[in-house]
Structures are given as structure tokens and as C-alpha cells.
């Protein structure tokens, strides 16, 4: 069993606290993504779990036992660094073999394991090469290989794909997922890229300024973001967010310009709220049934879809339209809203739930 | 673009000052030195005559010269080894995250700024047999009784010079090793830590191999410095006792400026030059790890 728990983990650098009490429960064999903007404390948390960084308070448990007093090598973890951190003077074989050598594995066994790992990562032809003679993608594989030769209980990844080009990154996403399934180990994956988190993880932990904001399955976060931060962070293009207020009955949303829209649901009446609508839940609609009128400012064709940016009385709005949309810049258009999929947040940014009809 | 073939004149004009400088200040003395070594040049002689390899024959037939060569290898070799090891150790200490690193680094580097002559005089006092602090210390700890005649014992005097050389060169090696240490990415050591390597294993398998080249280069530079060094043996021991600290540089210096035999001095200098070239060549060929 290799579940990972952190209990009220705090971290201070000097007088600055960068982690404010992190409580996490990661199941055995689970793939969890820690996601959040740069500087929110993801790496720090991961390094504390690894034992590379001391925490200022709290406890880390692996397999139910506290590891706070153990050095990294005794925690039975492996880590893949963003910079790969390969040993520059050792060839690929020696890079992979190093951890086994350090643990006094017999020579024959080392050889078997190194070759198996190289095989799994398509590195067999490169075993004699120095890291400097490898491409970025190959180095990344060596870094992965070094982590998996030993078959540790927990894998830690710190933005392992951010130095790769877009195409390779997509390939490696699948590859890492596949390895995770083959290895049957617990994986904690740090990334600032919400797409990586959404596509790879069983569960996502959203960090912001040293606090956990929300934990959930990818689609849970997408469908019911707990705060405006999560709402704008998860999903691409970003969710449209408008500030305004609700009428006394809580059924209409008003903005300061005087425009309003019927919500179709009842919220508790609030002076100032934020309304969120994903671009997917909007539709260009020329008919009278449209909810909002606006003028098309920008049209972006991405091939598979078209993003249409419309200026409306509520503010700028992004609509996800079909691939061959006829929308033209400067046109006046109507936009239809899927009222089932509105998100409402109160003044402090927390999600509000709809009351009765 | 601008190739030397297409614009030869332009290039010559551009390089001329630099070439003149290098030629005048470096090449000329070397060539002239080699030329002198085949003459009997001396300020005491009105006429300089070409004497062929006579100077060299004289040198190599003189058992004193072989002794000098032996002293040189012994003193400069050991000094190089000591200063490299000590410099590395100091750098490792400073890199290990102790407090006041900046202060210690500056303090150690002070030694580098001190002129050799000051070190020579300082060392003379430290190892003075009657009032020297070294003897004082050895007496008070009961290791010796009475006096150790550091400068007058052929077995001890070379060690005084070796200590002085090593001490003086530690800061240089330290600064270079520290820069190299700080150039090793933190993650590489962390990866090794996770891979199961403790401090000593990281030192052996990661740090030292990565520092190897830069340390060897620093050692080579220091070795050449020691080979050139005259001040310390001249001031401290005058090459004595009974020639025990007479090194090649001092021998050359004395030949030129005590015996006024420029020809012989130049021959010794030429031997020195060949020695350094061969040494550096062998060193480069066999010791330096070739980068991929
Ligand atoms: N060694 C350090 N000393 C001081 N502050 C640090 C140190 N390492 C990280 N921090 C601070 O801690 C915060 C979190 O950093 P980090 O965990 O690296 O963020 P992330 O990985 O999410 O981008 C940042 O504000 C960063 O400036
Ligand atoms: Mg980071």
C-alpha cells in the first residue's frame, strides 16, 4: 500500500509562509495532478513529500507511516525533474543503473532491470550515449527511466513535460499515463498546465497561493468549479465571467450598464455576484430567441472549431462555434445561452448553488 | 560573410596591433631566450659567441643540475597536489551551506592578494627556529623539545617551501572549485540523493567527476606558477640548506643574476620551457576528460 497523505503541511521561507496547511489524501495507485499557477507552491509541496525540503509544520505519511524523519532515499519514491537532472558525465546506461548500484543490487540484476527499462522507453539504441548527445525528448525518457528502474512506491513528477515541444508533450502525456498503469504505483504530477492535469489525472488538486482550493475528478472541476479562480483556471478557452448583481427574487442577473438576463434558476439574492458561462455553453444565434446581442470583434479559426469573440452589453464574450462558422468580424449577432450550465459565484468568489425553480 | 580570404588587407590591419603585441611581448623573449641558450652571452663579456649545445652539455653533466630538477619535481609536485586537495576541501566546506559563506570566501581569498614576498617573510617568521610560532606550538603541545631547525635541515626545508606554496595557492583553487561547484545544478545532486546516494557517494560519483577537469586545469596552472616562482625559495632559504630547496626557477635566476651567465641561464630556461610543454601535453592527453 502506498497511499500518500499530508497533514496540515506548512512551509515557511524566512518569515514568508508559502504553504498554509495542506491536507491531502492520495489513494494507492492513484494518479493525482497538482495544478496551479506559477509560484503557488506546487514544487515546494512535492519536494516536501520527496524529502528534499523540510516542512515547517505538519506531517507526511506514505503507506500510512510518517516519513517526516526519513531522507529521500529511504522514502521509496522516485522523482522526475523539469530539468531532467541527468548525470552529465554518465551515459544513459549508467544514469539508469545508478540508483540500483547505490542500493547494492547485484550486477546481473542491474543489467536486466536497466535493459527492461530502456526497452519500455525505446532507449535501447542510446544506452552508450551521453546526455549531451540526446534530444530533449530522449533526455526526458532517460529521466523517466531513471525513476522507474527501481519500481518505487510513489512517483513524483515536477512539470516533466514543460521543456518539450507541443507535439512531443501530447505523446508523452499518453506515454506517462500508460507507464502509470503498467507500474501500478502512486503518481503525483505537478503541472501548471491545466490541459495536462485534465487529460492525465484521476483527480486534480488545485493550489493557489499556498492553499488547496478544490480537489476533484477532472470533469467535476470543469462542471462545478468551487471558486472563480478554479473557473477561470480550468478550461480553455477560459470561462466567460461577468460581474453584476442579482435582483431581489434572485432570478435575474443585472450588470451596471443596465442590461439584464433571466437565469432560469433561483439563487439567493446577492448584492454583487459573478456569473460564469463557458464558451462551449454559448451558441451564435441569429434568430429572435437569442439571449444577448453583440458585435463580433475577432474570429479565430483553429481548424476543428471557431472561437468568436463578441462585444456585448455584459462585456466581451467568447463563443465556441463549429469549425466552418460563417461569423464575420463586424457583424451583429445574437448569442444563445445554455441556462442549465450557468455558474454563479458570490462576492467572495465562492460557488453559489441554485435554489428552487 | 567577412572571410580572411576575401578581405586580406582589412584583416591584417585589424589584427596587426594584437599580433605585434603578442609577438613583441611573448614570442620575442621566448625566441630570444632560446637563441641565447646557444651562446656564451654575459654582461661581463665584451663579445657574445655562438657555442652550440655547450651550455646544455654543461648543465646535464653537472650533478647539481639533476638535483635541482629533482627538487623541482618534488617541491612543485607535492605543492600542486596539496593546494588542489586543500582548495577543494575549502570549496566543499563553503558550498555545504555553512553560515557567513561570503565572509569566509573573502577571508580565504585575502591570501591570494598578498604578494609572494610578504608570504616569504611571514613564513620566515612562522618557521623561525627560536621565536617561530610553529616551534612554539610544537613545544607547547610536547611534540618536540627544544628547537626544530626548519630552514637548516635538508629534510625539513623543502617542506617549509611546500607549505608556503600550497597555502598561497589554496584561494585560487578554492575560487575555481567553488564556481564549478555552484555550476552543478542543484537538481542533479537531489536526483542522486533520491537515487540513494549519501554525501560520500555523491562526492565520489557526482561532484568529483564533474569537477575533475576544472580541478586538473587549476592544478596545471598552479604547477606552472610554482615552476616560475623564485621569491619564496630565494628569500626564505636561498636554495639551501645544501641546495635542498634549489629549484629550477631559482637556479636559473642565480645563473643569470648572481653568476651573470646569461647563456647558461637561458639554457636552463629552455629546459624549463620544454619540460612545461611536455608536461602540459601529457597532462592534456591523458588526464583531461574529453567532453562529448
Ligand atoms: N528556496 C526558496 N527560498 C525562498 N522562497 C522560495 C524558495 N523556493 C520557493 N520559494 C517561494 O515559494 C513559493 C512557491 O514556490 P514553488 O513551490 O516553486 O512554486 P511553483 O512550483 O508552484 O511554481 C514562490 O513564491 C517562491 O518564490
Ligand atoms: Mg515549480
Amino acid at each position: 500500500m502506498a497511499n500518500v497523505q499530508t497533514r496540515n503541511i506548512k512551509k515557511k521561507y524566512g518569515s514568508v509562509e508559502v504553504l498554509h496547511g495542506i491536507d491531502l489524501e492520495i489513494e494507492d495507485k492513484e494518479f493525482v495532478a497538482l495544478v496551479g499557477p506559477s509560484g503557488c507552491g506546487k514544487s515546494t509541496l512535492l519536494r516536501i513529500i520527496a524529502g528534499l525540503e523540510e516542512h515547517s509544520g505538519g506531517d507526511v505519511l506514505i503507506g500510512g507511516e510518517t516519513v517526516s524523519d526519513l531522507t529521500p532515499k529511504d522514502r521509496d519514491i522516485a522523482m522526475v525533474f523539469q530539468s531532467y537532472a541527468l548525470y552529465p558525465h554518465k551515459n544513459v546506461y549508467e544514469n539508469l543503473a545508478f540508483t540500483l548500484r547505490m542500493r547494492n543490487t547485484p550486477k546481473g540484476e542491474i543489467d536486466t532491470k536497466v535493459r527492461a527499462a530502456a526497452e519500455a522507453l525505446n532507449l535501447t539504441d542510446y544506452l552508450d550515449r551521453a546526455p549531451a548527445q540526446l534530444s530533449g525528448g530522449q533526455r526526458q525518457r532517460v529521466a523517466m527511466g531513471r525513476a522507474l528502474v527501481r519500481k518505487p512506491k510513489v512517483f513524483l513528477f515536477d512539470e516533466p513535460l514543460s521543456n518539450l515541444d507541443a507535439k512531443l508533450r501530447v505523446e508523452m502525456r499518453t506515454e506517462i499515463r500508460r507507464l502509470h498503469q503498467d507500474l501500478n504505483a502512486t503518481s503525483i504530477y505537478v503541472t501548471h498546465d491545466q490541459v495536462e492535469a485534465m487529460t492525465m489525472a484521476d483527480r486534480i488538486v488545485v493550489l493557489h497561493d499556498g492553499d488547496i482550493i478544490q480537489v476533484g475528478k477532472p470533469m467535476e472541476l470543469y462542471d462545478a468549479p468551487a471558486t472563480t479562480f478554479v473557473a477561470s483556471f480550468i478550461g480553455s478557452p477560459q470561462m466567460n465571467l461577468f460581474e453584476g448583481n442579482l435582483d431581489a427574487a434572485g432570478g435575474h442577473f443585472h450588470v451596471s450598464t443596465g442590461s439584464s438576463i433571466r437565469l432560469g434558476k433561483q439563487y439567493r439574492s446577492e448584492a454583487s455576484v459573478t456569473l460564469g458561462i463557458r464558451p462551449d455553453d454559448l451558441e451564435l444565434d441569429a434568430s429572435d430567441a437569442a439571449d444577448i446581442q453583440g458585435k463580433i470583434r475577432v474570429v479565430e479559426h483553429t481548424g476543428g472549431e471557431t472561437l468568436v469573440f463578441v462585444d456585448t452589453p455584459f462585456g466581451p464574450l467568447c463563443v465556441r462555434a463549429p469549425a466552418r462558422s460563417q461569423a464575420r468580424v463586424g457583424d451583429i449577432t445574437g448569442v444563445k445561452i445554455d441556462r442549465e450550465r450557468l455558474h454563479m459565484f458570490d462576492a467572495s468568489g465562492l460557488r453559489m448553488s441554485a435554489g428552487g425553480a | 560573410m567577412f572571410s580572411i580570404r576575401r578581405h586580406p588587407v582589412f584583416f591584417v590591419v585589424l589584427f596587426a596591433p594584437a599580433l605585434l603585441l603578442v609577438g613583441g611581448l611573448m614570442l620575442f623573449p621566448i625566441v630570444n631566450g632560446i637563441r641565447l641558450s646557444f651562446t656564451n652571452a654575459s654582461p661581463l663579456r665584451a663579445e657574445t659567441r655562438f657555442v652550440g649545445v655547450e651550455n646544455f652539455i654543461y648543465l646535464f653533466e653537472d650533478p647539481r643540475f639533476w638535483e635541482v630538477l629533482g627538487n623541482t619535481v618534488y617541491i612543485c609536485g607535492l605543492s600542486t597536489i596539496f593546494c588542489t586537495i586543500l582548495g577543494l576541501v575549502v570549496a566543499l566546506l563553503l558550498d555545504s551551506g555553512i553560515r557567513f559563506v561570503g565572509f569566509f570566501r573573502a577571508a580565504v581569498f585575502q591570501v591570494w592578494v598578498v604578494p609572494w614576498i610578504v608570504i616569504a617573510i611571514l613564513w620566515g617568521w612562522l618557521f623561525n627556529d627560536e621565536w617561530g610560532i610553529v616551534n612554539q606550538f610544537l613545544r607547547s603541545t610536547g611534540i618536540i623539545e627544544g628547537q626544530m631547525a626548519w630552514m637548516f635541515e635538508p629534510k625539513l626545508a623543502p617542506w617549509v617551501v611546500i607549505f608556503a606554496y600550497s597555502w598561497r595557492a589554496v584561494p585560487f583553487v578554492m575560487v575555481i572549485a567553488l564556481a564549478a561547484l555552484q555550476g552543478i545544478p542543484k537538481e542533479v545532486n537531489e536526483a542522486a540523493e533520491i537515487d540513494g546516494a549519501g554525501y560520500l557517494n555523491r562526492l565520489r560519483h557526482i561532484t568529483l567527476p564533474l569537477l575533475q577537469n576544472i580541478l586538473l586545469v587549476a592544478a596545471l596552472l598552479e604547477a606552472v606558477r610554482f615552476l616560475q616562482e623564485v621569491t619564496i625559495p630565494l628569500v626564505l632559504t636561498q636554495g639551501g640548506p645544501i641546495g635542498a630547496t634549489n629549484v629550477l626557477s631559482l637556479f636559473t635566476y642565480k645563473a643569470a643574476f648572481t653568476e651573470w651567465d646569461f647563456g647558461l641561464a637561458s639554457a636552463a630556461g629552455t629546459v624549463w620551457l620544454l619540460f612545461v610543454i611536455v608536461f602540459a601535453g601529457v597532462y592534456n592527453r591523458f588526464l583531461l576528460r574529453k567532453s562529448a
Side-chain angles (χ1 to χ4, degrees), chain B residues 54-281:
Chain B
E54 225 170 72
N55 286 324
F56 291 95
I57 292 173
Y58 177 85
L59 275 182
F60 288 118
E61 281 182 348
D62 182 359
R64 265 196 332 149
F65 185 67
W66 288 102
E67 207 179 291
V68 165
L69 288 183
N71 290 340
T72 308
V73 172
Y74 179 64
I75 290 177
C76 296
L78 283 180
S79 302
T80 305
I81 292 170
F82 289 154
C83 78
T84 308
I85 292 174
L86 277 174
L88 174 66
V89 169
V90 175
L92 286 172
L93 284 177
L94 288 184
D95 191 51
S96 68
I98 55 168
R99 283 148 79 73
F100 312 117
V101 168
F103 169 76
F104 285 120
R105 195 171 40 199
V108 174
F109 202 67
Q110 286 304 312
V111 177
W112 186 246
V113 195
V114 178
W116 288 88
I117 180 74
V118 175
I119 295 179
I121 293 169
L122 187 68
W123 235 246
W125 283 106
L126 285 176
F127 285 91
N128 185 294
D129 41 357
E130 283 183 50
W131 328 284
I133 193 165
V134 174
N135 274 350
Q136 180 71 39
F137 173 78
L138 291 177
R139 264 197 300 272
S140 68
T141 51
I143 295 176
I144 59 164
E145 276 172 30
Q147 297 167 355
M148 283 271 261
W150 288 98
M151 310 301 193
F152 304 103
E153 286 275 352
K155 282 222 156 37
L156 291 181
W159 284 96
V160 177
V161 176
I162 289 171
F163 286 148
Y165 276 11
S166 312
W167 186 73
R168 165 65 205 236
V170 160
F172 177 77
V173 178
M174 182 271 293
V175 165
I176 289 198
L178 195 57
L181 274 175
Q182 288 169 350
I184 299 178
K186 190 180 68 161
E187 289 86 7
V188 170
N189 266 303
E190 289 175 346
E193 203 178 335
I194 289 180
D195 272 352
Y199 182 78
L200 288 180
N201 270 324
R202 288 206 298 280
L203 200 60
R204 176 162 158 231
H205 294 287
I206 310 293
T207 314
L208 288 182
L210 287 177
L211 288 190
Q212 181 182 321
N213 261 3
I214 196 93
L215 279 180
L216 286 172
V217 169
L220 178 64
L221 290 175
E222 281 313 314
V224 172
R225 282 234 46 154
F226 295 150
L227 289 171
Q228 294 173 326
E229 178 50 28
V230 174
T231 319
I232 285 184
L234 183 68
V235 174
L236 213 53
T237 58
Q238 296 84 44
I242 354 177
T245 57
N246 201 8
V247 287
L248 189 52
S249 48
L250 184 63
F251 176 87
T252 310
Y253 176 86
K254 281 182 168 175
F257 302 113
T258 312
E259 293 157 32
W260 301 106
D261 189 342
F262 287 1
L264 191 68
S266 298
T270 305
V271 171
W272 186 94
L273 183 70
L274 286 176
F275 180 78
V276 170
I277 289 174
V278 169
F279 179 62

